[in-house]
Structures are given as structure tokens and as C-alpha cells.
Amino acid sequence: MARAFRRKGQRFVAKFDPMEREVVTDILEQTRKIVAPADTGKPEASTGDEFDQIVASISVGRDGPADPPEDLADRDPALDRLLPVAHRGDEKVAAEFRRLTEHDLRDRKAANLTAAIEALRGATGDHLALTKEQAGAVAVALTDARLVLGERLGLRTDEDAQSLELMVRTLDPEDPVVYAASIYDFLTWMQESLTTAMLGRGRFR
Amino acid sequence: VNLMSYVTYVFETYFGYPRNKAEKLMLDVHTKGKAVVSHGSREEMERDTEAMHGFGLWATFEKDA
């Protein structure tokens, strides 16, 4: 049973049992597959993981970008959540920004997700102790994972999150959406607990 | 959908803003949907925008009207 993060000396400590950690590292791995740039991503054999299928299949109320540029039309919409349009009102500027930054950003996000996965795998028993650097990596990784999972669940606004909660109550407990929503909640709780501990009483730096 | 504590943390760590400024900007984002978090040259703003995207925040840059 998970216990929230708290600061202990130079570390951020929490408790997560092996199953909880696996659920989180699984979704971080799924997120990494989506963000890793196509040319550097090694083709990975499907794990046949239940979660692969869930993340791949879920689409709740997704209506896609309003007017996607042609070459972006086939993109995974989750990528547009991770790498949003950088300039409103000037498509050329936005496209140029994307061209210049996207590859590096995707590389960095993939590397950060790897660091977070390794940090979570470094737990002994149920005890997880993160350095400041690892804590930062995990906080960012959880953000990316929540954006991806949130996109799959159709969460764009705080109101969406509330309506999902209501919808989940009407669904069959076996519905993959119910499972995904519970993971989303768990990631949210974990991130809130970590960033609250990181903020502490004073400045983080 | 981003957590308030996380947004505060990003503004503090990346921009080096003190807690009260980071929290005020975070609350503006939360209640108004956006906040101007940084001013500077086009290059600096592009760099900040890229950094915010790295943190998973939906930043844009634009020229002051």
C-alpha cells in the first residue's frame, strides 16, 4: 500500500509496493514509446502487456485537433499534448518552432522517462528514496504520463476530469476505461505527493 | 489538468521565481487559463517556451501588442 512522499534529509522517501511500482513504470514505458523520436527509437517487440492494449485502444470523446496540418494529421494526438503549438495565430512560426525543437524535446523527454523508470526500479522492498535530481525527473515523467493517459481518456479540462469520474461510476468495473481512470488517479496522487514534498516550506532550489 | 503544486515547482525551479511570485502566476494560469510568465527577446522566449514544453506545460510565445 502506497505511502505519500516526504522529505527526509536530502532524499524524498515514499512507500510503493512492487505491483504499484510496476504499474507506474509500465505507463512510463508506454509514454516513452510515444515520445521517443521515430529515428532513434529502437523497435521493441510488443510485450503483449495488457496495458499496451489499453493505452492503445482507449479513446473517450476524442475529437482530434481542429485543423491539423497535413503532415501532422497522422500523429498520435497524445504527442500534440506533450508538444503543443508554440505560437497562437501564426502557423508558420509555430511550424518552424516545431521543426527546430521537436526532435530534441522528444529526445530529452525519452531520456527523462528512462531516468525516472530507473529511479523507481531502484527501490528496495517497498521503500523508495529519490535524490533531488531523481525527484525532478519523476515529477516531469509523471506529468508526461498523465498528459498521454489524459488524452486517451479525453481529459482536457478540470471539468472533463469530473465528468470522467461520474462516467466511471456507470461503467462495468471490467471496462478498460475504469482501469485506466484508476491509474490516472494514482499517478495524480503520486505526483501531487511528490511535488508537495519537493516544494516543502521554502524554495526548492 | 496540470497540478498546481507542479506548476509552482516549475516556475520556481526554471525561472528562479520566489515562492509568492511562482504561486501568483500559477493561480493566474489556474483561474484565467493563462499567465505571462516571462518577457524578453524572441530567442529567449523561444528558449523558455521550449523549456516549458519540456516540463509538459502548454506555453506559447508572442510579441507584445
Tab-separated table of all heavy atoms in Angstrom, chain A residues 58-113:
chain	number	residue	atom	x	y	z
A	58	ILE	N	-7.805	2.984	-25.969
A	58	ILE	CA	-8.752	3.907	-25.349
A	58	ILE	C	-8.906	5.193	-26.134
A	58	ILE	O	-7.938	5.782	-26.579
A	58	ILE	CB	-8.295	4.261	-23.924
A	58	ILE	CG1	-8.467	3.045	-23.041
A	58	ILE	CG2	-9.104	5.411	-23.351
A	58	ILE	CD1	-7.886	3.266	-21.681
A	59	SER	N	-10.098	5.587	-26.299
A	59	SER	CA	-10.355	6.896	-26.866
A	59	SER	C	-11.720	7.333	-26.406
A	59	SER	O	-12.725	6.839	-26.861
A	59	SER	CB	-10.319	6.824	-28.389
A	59	SER	OG	-10.864	8.006	-28.910
A	60	VAL	N	-11.735	8.224	-25.447
A	60	VAL	CA	-13.008	8.699	-24.918
A	60	VAL	C	-13.243	10.122	-25.384
A	60	VAL	O	-12.468	11.016	-25.059
A	60	VAL	CB	-13.026	8.664	-23.381
A	60	VAL	CG1	-14.350	9.145	-22.842
A	60	VAL	CG2	-12.719	7.272	-22.881
A	61	GLY	N	-14.251	10.312	-26.157
A	61	GLY	CA	-14.628	11.666	-26.545
A	61	GLY	C	-13.508	12.441	-27.199
A	61	GLY	O	-13.396	13.643	-27.052
A	62	ARG	N	-12.661	11.755	-27.911
A	62	ARG	CA	-11.561	12.446	-28.570
A	62	ARG	C	-12.057	12.949	-29.920
A	62	ARG	O	-12.561	12.185	-30.726
A	62	ARG	CB	-10.402	11.470	-28.757
A	62	ARG	CG	-9.143	12.158	-29.273
A	62	ARG	CD	-8.247	11.189	-29.975
A	62	ARG	NE	-7.831	10.090	-29.105
A	62	ARG	CZ	-7.244	9.006	-29.567
A	62	ARG	NH1	-7.025	8.862	-30.849
A	62	ARG	NH2	-6.901	8.047	-28.750
A	63	ASP	N	-11.927	14.254	-30.154
A	63	ASP	CA	-12.385	14.730	-31.449
A	63	ASP	C	-11.242	15.249	-32.310
A	63	ASP	O	-11.438	15.770	-33.381
A	63	ASP	CB	-13.491	15.795	-31.320
A	63	ASP	CG	-13.229	16.722	-30.162
A	63	ASP	OD1	-12.064	16.780	-29.715
A	63	ASP	OD2	-14.178	17.376	-29.700
A	64	GLY	N	-10.036	15.062	-31.827
A	64	GLY	CA	-8.877	15.397	-32.652
A	64	GLY	C	-8.641	16.884	-32.746
A	64	GLY	O	-9.491	17.682	-32.392
A	65	PRO	N	-7.461	17.240	-33.235
A	65	PRO	CA	-7.153	18.657	-33.389
A	65	PRO	C	-8.096	19.289	-34.398
A	65	PRO	O	-8.527	18.621	-35.342
A	65	PRO	CB	-5.716	18.659	-33.920
A	65	PRO	CG	-5.281	17.240	-34.029
A	65	PRO	CD	-6.439	16.357	-33.763
A	66	ALA	N	-8.429	20.541	-34.178
A	66	ALA	CA	-9.436	21.200	-35.001
A	66	ALA	C	-9.052	21.192	-36.479
A	66	ALA	O	-9.859	20.864	-37.332
A	66	ALA	CB	-9.623	22.632	-34.521
A	67	ASP	N	-7.811	21.521	-36.755
A	67	ASP	CA	-7.431	21.650	-38.151
A	67	ASP	C	-5.955	21.273	-38.307
A	67	ASP	O	-5.093	22.131	-38.427
A	67	ASP	CB	-7.656	23.108	-38.588
A	67	ASP	CG	-7.606	23.238	-40.099
A	67	ASP	OD1	-7.626	22.198	-40.775
A	67	ASP	OD2	-7.529	24.382	-40.572
A	68	PRO	N	-5.686	19.972	-38.262
A	68	PRO	CA	-4.283	19.567	-38.224
A	68	PRO	C	-3.587	19.838	-39.557
A	68	PRO	O	-4.172	19.593	-40.602
A	68	PRO	CB	-4.357	18.070	-37.964
A	68	PRO	CG	-5.705	17.643	-38.426
A	68	PRO	CD	-6.600	18.829	-38.315
A	69	PRO	N	-2.367	20.356	-39.496
A	69	PRO	CA	-1.605	20.469	-40.740
A	69	PRO	C	-1.452	19.075	-41.336
A	69	PRO	O	-1.428	18.095	-40.599
A	69	PRO	CB	-0.244	20.994	-40.276
A	69	PRO	CG	-0.441	21.481	-38.893
A	69	PRO	CD	-1.611	20.750	-38.320
A	70	GLU	N	-1.331	18.999	-42.639
A	70	GLU	CA	-1.368	17.700	-43.307
A	70	GLU	C	-0.388	16.679	-42.745
A	70	GLU	O	-0.748	15.557	-42.464
A	70	GLU	CB	-1.085	17.896	-44.795
A	70	GLU	CG	-2.350	17.802	-45.623
A	70	GLU	CD	-2.065	18.071	-47.077
A	70	GLU	OE1	-1.432	17.208	-47.703
A	70	GLU	OE2	-2.434	19.155	-47.550
A	71	ASP	N	0.876	17.109	-42.599
A	71	ASP	CA	1.874	16.129	-42.172
A	71	ASP	C	1.717	15.742	-40.711
A	71	ASP	O	2.359	14.822	-40.242
A	71	ASP	CB	3.290	16.655	-42.442
A	71	ASP	CG	3.525	17.984	-41.743
A	71	ASP	OD1	2.547	18.726	-41.560
A	71	ASP	OD2	4.678	18.258	-41.368
A	72	LEU	N	0.878	16.457	-39.994
A	72	LEU	CA	0.666	16.114	-38.597
A	72	LEU	C	-0.610	15.312	-38.400
A	72	LEU	O	-0.911	14.856	-37.307
A	72	LEU	CB	0.597	17.385	-37.738
A	72	LEU	CG	1.871	18.222	-37.684
A	72	LEU	CD1	1.653	19.450	-36.820
A	72	LEU	CD2	3.042	17.411	-37.161
A	73	ALA	N	-1.347	15.129	-39.492
A	73	ALA	CA	-2.667	14.522	-39.370
A	73	ALA	C	-2.612	13.100	-38.813
A	73	ALA	O	-3.529	12.668	-38.126
A	73	ALA	CB	-3.375	14.527	-40.717
A	74	ASP	N	-1.523	12.392	-39.119
A	74	ASP	CA	-1.447	11.002	-38.684
A	74	ASP	C	-0.753	10.841	-37.342
A	74	ASP	O	-0.561	9.731	-36.862
A	74	ASP	CB	-0.683	10.169	-39.727
A	74	ASP	CG	-1.463	10.079	-41.025
A	74	ASP	OD1	-2.705	10.176	-40.970
A	74	ASP	OD2	-0.826	9.937	-42.079
A	75	ARG	N	-0.364	11.957	-36.756
A	75	ARG	CA	0.338	11.872	-35.477
A	75	ARG	C	-0.568	11.344	-34.384
A	75	ARG	O	-1.767	11.544	-34.395
A	75	ARG	CB	0.782	13.263	-35.037
A	75	ARG	CG	2.053	13.731	-35.637
A	75	ARG	CD	2.112	15.220	-35.498
A	75	ARG	NE	2.346	15.663	-34.131
A	75	ARG	CZ	3.568	15.895	-33.654
A	75	ARG	NH1	4.610	15.685	-34.395
A	75	ARG	NH2	3.728	16.331	-32.429
A	76	ASP	N	0.067	10.710	-33.427
A	76	ASP	CA	-0.646	10.326	-32.230
A	76	ASP	C	-1.073	11.622	-31.529
A	76	ASP	O	-0.234	12.475	-31.243
A	76	ASP	CB	0.309	9.535	-31.333
A	76	ASP	CG	-0.396	8.951	-30.132
A	76	ASP	OD1	-1.308	9.626	-29.613
A	76	ASP	OD2	-0.043	7.841	-29.728
A	77	PRO	N	-2.362	11.805	-31.272
A	77	PRO	CA	-2.796	13.066	-30.646
A	77	PRO	C	-2.124	13.315	-29.297
A	77	PRO	O	-2.004	14.474	-28.873
A	77	PRO	CB	-4.311	12.900	-30.481
A	77	PRO	CG	-4.646	11.529	-30.914
A	77	PRO	CD	-3.467	10.898	-31.569
A	78	ALA	N	-1.687	12.251	-28.650
A	78	ALA	CA	-1.006	12.446	-27.362
A	78	ALA	C	0.256	13.279	-27.544
A	78	ALA	O	0.650	14.031	-26.648
A	78	ALA	CB	-0.664	11.101	-26.724
A	79	LEU	N	0.888	13.167	-28.708
A	79	LEU	CA	2.101	13.948	-28.958
A	79	LEU	C	1.809	15.444	-28.978
A	79	LEU	O	2.639	16.252	-28.577
A	79	LEU	CB	2.712	13.549	-30.304
A	79	LEU	CG	3.805	12.491	-30.296
A	79	LEU	CD1	4.306	12.298	-31.718
A	79	LEU	CD2	4.945	12.881	-29.383
A	80	ASP	N	0.624	15.778	-29.469
A	80	ASP	CA	0.273	17.200	-29.515
A	80	ASP	C	0.000	17.756	-28.130
A	80	ASP	O	0.035	18.966	-27.914
A	80	ASP	CB	-0.938	17.418	-30.423
A	80	ASP	CG	-0.620	17.044	-31.861
A	80	ASP	OD1	0.544	17.215	-32.256
A	80	ASP	OD2	-1.522	16.585	-32.571
A	81	ARG	N	-0.278	16.876	-27.206
A	81	ARG	CA	-0.441	17.301	-25.813
A	81	ARG	C	0.919	17.502	-25.177
A	81	ARG	O	1.101	18.400	-24.361
A	81	ARG	CB	-1.205	16.234	-25.029
A	81	ARG	CG	-2.517	15.836	-25.671
A	81	ARG	CD	-3.617	16.712	-25.234
A	81	ARG	NE	-4.047	16.328	-23.907
A	81	ARG	CZ	-4.753	17.095	-23.120
A	81	ARG	NH1	-5.091	18.294	-23.531
A	81	ARG	NH2	-5.119	16.682	-21.929
A	82	LEU	N	1.870	16.655	-25.550
A	82	LEU	CA	3.217	16.756	-24.988
A	82	LEU	C	4.015	17.868	-25.646
A	82	LEU	O	4.884	18.460	-25.040
A	82	LEU	CB	3.953	15.419	-25.175
A	82	LEU	CG	3.392	14.254	-24.374
A	82	LEU	CD1	3.988	12.940	-24.840
A	82	LEU	CD2	3.661	14.440	-22.890
A	83	LEU	N	3.729	18.108	-26.930
A	83	LEU	CA	4.466	19.111	-27.694
A	83	LEU	C	3.465	20.027	-28.381
A	83	LEU	O	3.229	19.927	-29.573
A	83	LEU	CB	5.344	18.405	-28.736
A	83	LEU	CG	6.291	17.347	-28.158
A	83	LEU	CD1	6.793	16.417	-29.238
A	83	LEU	CD2	7.453	18.001	-27.441
A	84	PRO	N	2.863	20.917	-27.614
A	84	PRO	CA	1.756	21.716	-28.139
A	84	PRO	C	2.236	22.807	-29.101
A	84	PRO	O	3.436	23.062	-29.205
A	84	PRO	CB	1.154	22.337	-26.882
A	84	PRO	CG	2.272	22.405	-25.916
A	84	PRO	CD	3.163	21.246	-26.205
A	85	VAL	N	1.284	23.398	-29.766
A	85	VAL	CA	1.582	24.517	-30.663
A	85	VAL	C	2.173	25.659	-29.835
A	85	VAL	O	1.644	26.029	-28.792
A	85	VAL	CB	0.291	24.977	-31.371
A	85	VAL	CG1	0.548	26.252	-32.166
A	85	VAL	CG2	-0.220	23.871	-32.291
A	86	ALA	N	3.281	26.234	-30.329
A	86	ALA	CA	4.021	27.202	-29.517
A	86	ALA	C	3.652	28.649	-29.815
A	86	ALA	O	4.044	29.555	-29.090
A	86	ALA	CB	5.523	27.013	-29.712
A	87	HIS	N	2.945	28.862	-30.898
A	87	HIS	CA	2.611	30.231	-31.244
A	87	HIS	C	1.169	30.272	-31.726
A	87	HIS	O	0.795	29.559	-32.651
A	87	HIS	CB	3.543	30.756	-32.331
A	87	HIS	CG	3.515	32.257	-32.451
A	87	HIS	ND1	2.447	32.932	-32.987
A	87	HIS	CD2	4.418	33.190	-32.089
A	87	HIS	CE1	2.713	34.234	-32.947
A	87	HIS	NE2	3.900	34.414	-32.403
A	88	ARG	N	0.380	31.114	-31.071
A	88	ARG	CA	-1.011	31.244	-31.493
A	88	ARG	C	-1.083	32.269	-32.606
A	88	ARG	O	-0.462	33.323	-32.526
A	88	ARG	CB	-1.877	31.719	-30.331
A	88	ARG	CG	-2.020	30.670	-29.251
A	88	ARG	CD	-3.167	31.042	-28.308
A	88	ARG	NE	-3.285	30.068	-27.255
A	88	ARG	CZ	-2.984	30.317	-25.974
A	88	ARG	NH1	-2.571	31.498	-25.615
A	88	ARG	NH2	-3.130	29.366	-25.077
A	89	GLY	N	-1.825	31.963	-33.628
A	89	GLY	CA	-2.084	32.987	-34.637
A	89	GLY	C	-1.091	33.035	-35.772
A	89	GLY	O	-1.343	33.693	-36.763
A	90	ASP	N	0.034	32.359	-35.648
A	90	ASP	CA	0.959	32.339	-36.772
A	90	ASP	C	1.437	30.901	-36.998
A	90	ASP	O	2.371	30.432	-36.359
A	90	ASP	CB	2.152	33.270	-36.522
A	90	ASP	CG	2.974	33.471	-37.798
A	90	ASP	OD1	2.980	32.566	-38.654
A	90	ASP	OD2	3.606	34.535	-37.924
A	91	GLU	N	0.772	30.242	-37.925
A	91	GLU	CA	1.071	28.831	-38.156
A	91	GLU	C	2.500	28.615	-38.632
A	91	GLU	O	3.125	27.605	-38.317
A	91	GLU	CB	0.112	28.255	-39.207
A	91	GLU	CG	-1.241	27.906	-38.633
A	91	GLU	CD	-2.198	27.385	-39.705
A	91	GLU	OE1	-1.707	26.834	-40.697
A	91	GLU	OE2	-3.410	27.564	-39.536
A	92	LYS	N	2.998	29.566	-39.421
A	92	LYS	CA	4.358	29.397	-39.947
A	92	LYS	C	5.376	29.410	-38.825
A	92	LYS	O	6.285	28.583	-38.783
A	92	LYS	CB	4.691	30.531	-40.941
A	92	LYS	CG	4.287	30.198	-42.363
A	92	LYS	CD	4.828	31.236	-43.323
A	92	LYS	CE	4.177	31.071	-44.696
A	92	LYS	NZ	4.271	32.304	-45.488
A	93	VAL	N	5.204	30.365	-37.915
A	93	VAL	CA	6.118	30.450	-36.774
A	93	VAL	C	6.013	29.184	-35.938
A	93	VAL	O	7.025	28.615	-35.505
A	93	VAL	CB	5.809	31.696	-35.921
A	93	VAL	CG1	6.625	31.690	-34.635
A	93	VAL	CG2	6.096	32.973	-36.710
A	94	ALA	N	4.777	28.744	-35.721
A	94	ALA	CA	4.562	27.534	-34.909
A	94	ALA	C	5.214	26.320	-35.567
A	94	ALA	O	5.854	25.503	-34.896
A	94	ALA	CB	3.072	27.299	-34.704
A	95	ALA	N	5.066	26.208	-36.890
A	95	ALA	CA	5.629	25.061	-37.604
A	95	ALA	C	7.151	25.100	-37.562
A	95	ALA	O	7.810	24.067	-37.381
A	95	ALA	CB	5.134	25.045	-39.053
A	96	GLU	N	7.702	26.293	-37.700
A	96	GLU	CA	9.157	26.437	-37.668
A	96	GLU	C	9.692	26.073	-36.279
A	96	GLU	O	10.702	25.384	-36.151
A	96	GLU	CB	9.535	27.889	-38.034
A	96	GLU	CG	11.016	28.188	-38.031
A	96	GLU	CD	11.799	27.488	-39.141
A	96	GLU	OE1	11.186	26.710	-39.917
A	96	GLU	OE2	13.026	27.708	-39.222
A	97	PHE	N	8.981	26.536	-35.259
A	97	PHE	CA	9.388	26.207	-33.885
A	97	PHE	C	9.376	24.686	-33.691
A	97	PHE	O	10.307	24.108	-33.140
A	97	PHE	CB	8.433	26.882	-32.896
A	97	PHE	CG	8.778	26.631	-31.447
A	97	PHE	CD1	9.719	27.406	-30.793
A	97	PHE	CD2	8.150	25.613	-30.743
A	97	PHE	CE1	10.029	27.180	-29.465
A	97	PHE	CE2	8.459	25.370	-29.416
A	97	PHE	CZ	9.403	26.158	-28.771
A	98	ARG	N	8.323	24.074	-34.181
A	98	ARG	CA	8.215	22.622	-34.035
A	98	ARG	C	9.371	21.924	-34.752
A	98	ARG	O	9.997	21.000	-34.220
A	98	ARG	CB	6.866	22.154	-34.594
A	98	ARG	CG	6.532	20.715	-34.246
A	98	ARG	CD	5.193	20.291	-34.805
A	98	ARG	NE	4.040	20.814	-34.108
A	98	ARG	CZ	3.623	20.402	-32.919
A	98	ARG	NH1	4.277	19.471	-32.279
A	98	ARG	NH2	2.556	20.932	-32.367
A	99	ARG	N	9.661	22.412	-35.966
A	99	ARG	CA	10.720	21.790	-36.753
A	99	ARG	C	12.058	21.874	-36.008
A	99	ARG	O	12.833	20.918	-35.992
A	99	ARG	CB	10.824	22.490	-38.110
A	99	ARG	CG	11.720	21.803	-39.117
A	99	ARG	CD	11.766	22.574	-40.440
A	99	ARG	NE	12.486	23.835	-40.338
A	99	ARG	CZ	13.807	23.960	-40.287
A	99	ARG	NH1	14.557	22.874	-40.318
A	99	ARG	NH2	14.385	25.133	-40.200
A	100	LEU	N	12.284	23.016	-35.384
A	100	LEU	CA	13.577	23.244	-34.731
A	100	LEU	C	13.693	22.551	-33.381
A	100	LEU	O	14.781	22.197	-32.955
A	100	LEU	CB	13.814	24.752	-34.540
A	100	LEU	CG	14.059	25.547	-35.818
A	100	LEU	CD1	14.089	27.036	-35.509
A	100	LEU	CD2	15.364	25.107	-36.479
A	101	THR	N	12.584	22.402	-32.672
A	101	THR	CA	12.688	21.934	-31.286
A	101	THR	C	12.211	20.507	-31.060
A	101	THR	O	12.619	19.871	-30.096
A	101	THR	CB	11.846	22.824	-30.338
A	101	THR	OG1	10.466	22.734	-30.707
A	101	THR	CG2	12.311	24.273	-30.387
A	102	GLU	N	11.336	20.021	-31.949
A	102	GLU	CA	10.644	18.773	-31.610
A	102	GLU	C	11.587	17.590	-31.372
A	102	GLU	O	11.425	16.840	-30.416
A	102	GLU	CB	9.614	18.413	-32.684
A	102	GLU	CG	9.008	17.040	-32.404
A	102	GLU	CD	7.665	16.821	-33.049
A	102	GLU	OE1	6.864	17.771	-33.081
A	102	GLU	OE2	7.428	15.695	-33.510
A	103	HIS	N	12.578	17.451	-32.240
A	103	HIS	CA	13.432	16.274	-32.108
A	103	HIS	C	14.160	16.261	-30.766
A	103	HIS	O	14.165	15.255	-30.047
A	103	HIS	CB	14.418	16.202	-33.268
A	103	HIS	CG	15.109	14.883	-33.350
A	103	HIS	ND1	16.200	14.574	-32.566
A	103	HIS	CD2	14.846	13.776	-34.079
A	103	HIS	CE1	16.580	13.334	-32.827
A	103	HIS	NE2	15.774	12.827	-33.744
A	104	ASP	N	14.764	17.395	-30.425
A	104	ASP	CA	15.480	17.491	-29.156
A	104	ASP	C	14.564	17.294	-27.966
A	104	ASP	O	14.913	16.619	-26.994
A	104	ASP	CB	16.137	18.874	-29.028
A	104	ASP	CG	17.469	18.905	-29.758
A	104	ASP	OD1	17.826	17.879	-30.379
A	104	ASP	OD2	18.136	19.953	-29.702
A	105	LEU	N	13.384	17.914	-28.050
A	105	LEU	CA	12.444	17.790	-26.939
A	105	LEU	C	12.042	16.332	-26.739
A	105	LEU	O	11.981	15.847	-25.605
A	105	LEU	CB	11.185	18.616	-27.211
A	105	LEU	CG	11.163	20.039	-26.661
A	105	LEU	CD1	9.971	20.797	-27.205
A	105	LEU	CD2	11.123	20.023	-25.132
A	106	ARG	N	11.786	15.659	-27.831
A	106	ARG	CA	11.383	14.248	-27.718
A	106	ARG	C	12.518	13.412	-27.162
A	106	ARG	O	12.311	12.527	-26.324
A	106	ARG	CB	10.903	13.734	-29.070
A	106	ARG	CG	9.566	14.370	-29.460
A	106	ARG	CD	9.115	13.968	-30.840
A	106	ARG	NE	8.726	12.562	-30.891
A	106	ARG	CZ	8.068	12.026	-31.927
A	106	ARG	NH1	7.753	12.776	-32.963
A	106	ARG	NH2	7.734	10.758	-31.910
A	107	ASP	N	13.739	13.692	-27.610
A	107	ASP	CA	14.915	13.015	-27.068
A	107	ASP	C	15.031	13.223	-25.562
A	107	ASP	O	15.257	12.289	-24.805
A	107	ASP	CB	16.182	13.607	-27.715
A	107	ASP	CG	16.780	12.660	-28.746
A	107	ASP	OD1	16.317	11.511	-28.840
A	107	ASP	OD2	17.703	13.090	-29.457
A	108	ARG	N	14.887	14.492	-25.177
A	108	ARG	CA	15.052	14.806	-23.756
A	108	ARG	C	13.957	14.165	-22.916
A	108	ARG	O	14.210	13.684	-21.818
A	108	ARG	CB	15.026	16.322	-23.543
A	108	ARG	CG	16.283	17.025	-24.022
A	108	ARG	CD	16.577	18.257	-23.158
A	108	ARG	NE	15.488	19.207	-23.150
A	108	ARG	CZ	15.342	20.163	-24.080
A	108	ARG	NH1	16.202	20.255	-25.060
A	108	ARG	NH2	14.341	20.991	-24.006
A	109	LYS	N	12.725	14.191	-23.433
A	109	LYS	CA	11.633	13.573	-22.690
A	109	LYS	C	11.867	12.071	-22.542
A	109	LYS	O	11.651	11.506	-21.467
A	109	LYS	CB	10.290	13.828	-23.379
A	109	LYS	CG	9.727	15.220	-23.093
A	109	LYS	CD	8.358	15.392	-23.735
A	109	LYS	CE	7.793	16.780	-23.531
A	109	LYS	NZ	7.448	17.065	-22.120
A	110	ALA	N	12.319	11.441	-23.625
A	110	ALA	CA	12.582	9.998	-23.562
A	110	ALA	C	13.671	9.709	-22.531
A	110	ALA	O	13.551	8.780	-21.727
A	110	ALA	CB	12.967	9.475	-24.942
A	111	ALA	N	14.736	10.523	-22.550
A	111	ALA	CA	15.836	10.313	-21.595
A	111	ALA	C	15.355	10.536	-20.164
A	111	ALA	O	15.730	9.802	-19.244
A	111	ALA	CB	16.996	11.255	-21.918
A	112	ASN	N	14.500	11.539	-19.982
A	112	ASN	CA	13.969	11.809	-18.642
A	112	ASN	C	13.096	10.650	-18.153
A	112	ASN	O	13.145	10.264	-16.989
A	112	ASN	CB	13.171	13.106	-18.641
A	112	ASN	CG	12.649	13.439	-17.259
A	112	ASN	OD1	13.410	13.819	-16.383
A	112	ASN	ND2	11.357	13.221	-17.039
A	113	LEU	N	12.288	10.103	-19.069
A	113	LEU	CA	11.441	8.971	-18.696
A	113	LEU	C	12.318	7.774	-18.298
A	113	LEU	O	12.013	7.078	-17.327
A	113	LEU	CB	10.507	8.600	-19.860
A	113	LEU	CG	9.323	9.570	-20.030
A	113	LEU	CD1	8.788	9.540	-21.456
A	113	LEU	CD2	8.204	9.224	-19.046
